[in-house]
Amino acid sequence: MKLSNIKRFWISFILAIPMLIQMFAMPFHWMMPGYNWIAFITTTIIMAISAAPYWSSAWAAFKHHNANMNTLVAVGTSVAYFYSIFAMFTGREVYFESAAFVTVFVLLGDAMEEKMHNNASNALAKLIDLQAKDAEVERDGKFIKLPLDQVKVGDIIRVKPGEKVPVDGVIVDGSSTLDESMVTGESMPVTKKKGDDVVGSTINTNGTFTFKATKVGSDTMLSQIVDLVKKAQTSHAPIQNLTDKISNIFVPVVLIIAIITFVIWYVFLGATLVNAMLFAVSVVVIACPCALGLATPTALMVGTARSAKMGVLIKNGEVLEEVSDIDTVVFDKTGTITVGKPQVTNVVGNKNKVLAIAASLEENSEHPLATAVVKTAQEANITIKPVKNFAAIEGRGVKANYGNQEAFVGSDRLLENISISQEMKDQALQLQKEAKTVVYVGLGNDIIGLIAIQDVPKASSKQAIVELKKRGLKTVMLTGDNQNVAEAIGREVGIDQVIAGVLPTEKAAEIKKLQDEGNKVAFVGDGINDAPALSTADVGIAMGSGTDIAIESGGIVLVQNDLMGVVRALEISKKTFNRIKLNLFWALIYNTIGIPIAAGLFMAFGLQLSPELAGLAMAFSSVSVVTSSLLLNKTKIAGETAQVSK
């Protein structure tokens, strides 16, 4: 059975506890009874369970004439371990704890990395779970429930209110309003009638309809999105760990120094074989990569913990490196820049009267625009009166008797034989130019007012984009909405570039296009349709209010539905990555100073570093790196204290 890094870490940590106790007891001159044998047995198990994979990796790298982080781990642990066995049987000081602790510390970093990457594989499963599990299919003149895998092209399928559309198809009978925002990115629910296309996994909000299946199985839009996410995730070249880059140079240098040290002391300076070996062992032990191994995970742990308090979840350590090079931030519109729900923005005419009539009629409607009108009236404490002879006119609006007069609320299609002033026409035209949906409110034969409805930007959007521009970042909006709506929103929040009318399957391609132009791209999104783009972008930032798949696909998740979180995310990521680089620099400087001492260069001055002291120095370097990482908690982060109204 292959153990995970997390399990191997805990096993090794528990086994290393006796050696940890002994290390703390040494200053008090207390020796654990039978310590050498306890250390030998526990370290041997740690070597077999936890260090062996590093030895295998180091050997594989060696065969390809390379050196990596694992090479240093393997050399350090094997030298300390095998020398300690030799020392134990010859009555000398043992250094099993060096071998054990190097393994435990490095394994801690790997375990943390493994935990962060475990979530990535869940993204595709989340997508698949979004599919309907069955469908109501016509068989022999009756509708029966069948598993989705039994649905064929050409089948007639019935969908009731509140149900998911099982597969892609064309409506053959009935009409309804579908919420397609999760798949298409369109902010407004779409009215569907006979002859219109429907997309699998969208939600039927009202009305019952039947449709003919045109695409099933892997041909559906959702399945195509699944494939795109899969390709995007697997196409990413693994980012070579910075410590591996360092180790590629550092390891051979350390090994050469250790060999040279042994040869010089044994051949030229006349030291005994054991003493020459002690100098060589000291060099390797002090160069053991505890500090290097802890540099990344400790900074990552502190940085991610602090960012979480600010509502920013960093899921992937590789994101930090990528964030440093970001020059373009691309935003989805619906639910990201905007609220994601239709809201009343303007009321033309006598506000109270217009809202009272509109809400009284729309209260009986299930249309999302009607919901926005009713909500606004309720917030304004306007009395909603019961109406008579309510009738919904497909694609136009609603009519009913309000008091003693016929009232109506709807689109301009209702305006036949209805008088409307030129002023009202001009106002309606102006609102439409602002990419707002205009609803006409009439009483008798007159239009008494207009209601404009729009998916409005979040309060934080404009401020966040200003902050990003201050940092020299280009801002882009990428949306499935129409051009007018997108450009109006873009102008309002100060977006540099607007790319509209993009299909879900095209979003990733647009991101790739920007990357091909030489841009390092961060993408911010929240819907299913954003998942491929989130995975394709150099950095994916998902809104926490979004769908599970979007959250899983993003390397960074904003818990709060607030675009200032993007500023905080980029800032904390940069600060964390800079701290990692500082830690690595300190670890290398520490080793650079320690290695000459360990090699005996300063023996003439009475300065000598035994393997025991080298082990203690190695431990101190680890403590210093951890301390450096903890200082991340004191670093100022832009936008941390910014209070943005939700």
Side-chain angles (χ1 to χ4, degrees), residues 35-167:
Y35 172 74
N36 284 1
W37 282 103
I38 293 171
F40 169 64
I41 293 168
T42 54
T43 304
T44 300
I45 298 171
I46 291 172
M47 293 297 103
I49 293 175
S50 301
Y54 297 120
W55 293 355
S56 299
S57 173
W59 179 246
F62 176 74
K63 288 194 292 186
H64 289 89
H65 310 291
N66 290 323
N68 56 26
M69 180 77 166
N70 293 337
T71 305
L72 207 53
V73 176
V75 172
T77 54
S78 58
V79 170
Y81 175 67
F82 289 113
Y83 172 78
S84 294
I85 293 174
F86 165 77
M88 188 174 77
F89 290 104
T90 56
R92 294 177 172 84
E93 191 77 33
V94 299
Y95 306 100
F96 287 117
E97 63 276 1
S98 294
F101 289 148
V102 166
T103 305
V104 169
F105 282 132
V106 173
L107 198 52
L108 172 62
D110 289 347
M112 291 168 63
E113 186 179 353
E114 183 180 83
K115 191 172 179 68
M116 283 188 292
H117 282 83
N118 278 344
N119 292 330
S121 61
N122 295 331
L124 297 176
K126 295 274 187 184
L127 263 179
I128 295 166
D129 286 344
L130 290 166
Q131 285 184 320
K133 301 299 185 286
D134 48 40
E136 206 173 346
V137 184
E138 187 179 31
R139 291 283 190 268
D140 301 323
K142 295 181 181 179
F143 285 97
I144 58 171
K145 288 228 173 184
L146 292 177
L148 207 60
D149 58 5
Q150 293 185 23
V151 177
K152 302 172 183 174
V153 173
D155 278 343
I156 302 298
I157 302 168
R158 182 169 66 186
V159 185
K160 296 176 182 176
E163 293 181 345
K164 287 182 180 178
V165 178
V167 295

Side-chain angles (χ1 to χ4, degrees), residues 2 14 181 184 209 313 414 416 460 482 497 514 578 599 623:
K2 188 178 179 181
I14 292 167
S181 61
T184 66
F209 64 89
L313 302 181
L414 277 174
E416 296 174 9
S460 61
N482 69 69
Q497 182 182 353
L514 288 168
N578 288 338
V623 171

Side-chain angles (χ1 to χ4, degrees), residues 434-554:
E434 295 172 8
K436 296 174 181 178
T437 301
V438 176
V439 175
Y440 296 83
V441 181
L443 190 63
N445 292 319
D446 298 314
I447 299 294
I448 65 165
L450 307 172
I451 298 175
I453 301 171
Q454 190 182 41
D455 185 12
V456 296
K458 296 172 184 174
S460 61
S461 295
K462 188 173 182 177
Q463 182 187 352
I465 286 162
V466 168
E467 290 293 329
L468 292 171
K469 285 184 174 181
K470 281 183 184 177
R471 289 159 173 77
L473 297 170
K474 179 184 177 182
T475 55
V476 181
M477 181 194 292
L478 184 63
T479 178
D481 275 356
N482 69 69
Q483 195 72 33
N484 288 335
V485 172
E487 287 183 354
I489 297 293
R491 284 193 300 273
E492 190 171 344
V493 298
I495 287 282
D496 294 322
Q497 182 182 353
V498 174
I499 305 172
V502 181
L503 294 173
T505 51
E506 296 172 345
K507 282 196 172 185
E510 290 291 340
I511 296 294
K512 188 71 170 62
K513 195 184 293 181
L514 288 168
Q515 291 171 324
D516 290 341
E517 293 170 359
N519 300 301
K520 283 285 185 176
V521 181
F523 179 76
V524 189
D526 72 325
I528 296 173
N529 61 305
D530 299 325
L534 284 164
S535 296
T536 302
D538 297 286
V539 176
I541 304 176
M543 306 297 289
S545 60
T547 60
D548 287 346
I549 175 57
I551 292 169
E552 291 289 347
S553 299

Side-chain angles (χ1 to χ4, degrees), residues 234-279:
T234 55
S235 65
H236 282 172
I239 300 171
Q240 189 181 14
N241 194 299
L242 191 57
T243 53
D244 281 345
K245 295 176 184 177
I246 294 169
S247 297
N248 221 12
I249 301 169
F250 185 63
V251 173
V253 170
V254 169
L255 295 178
I256 291 168
I257 292 171
I259 293 168
I260 292 171
T261 299
F262 177 82
V263 170
I264 289 174
W265 279 103
Y266 185 62
V267 176
F268 297 103
L269 299 179
T272 64
L273 180 67
V274 172
N275 283 335
M277 188 190 301
L278 284 174
F279 281 118

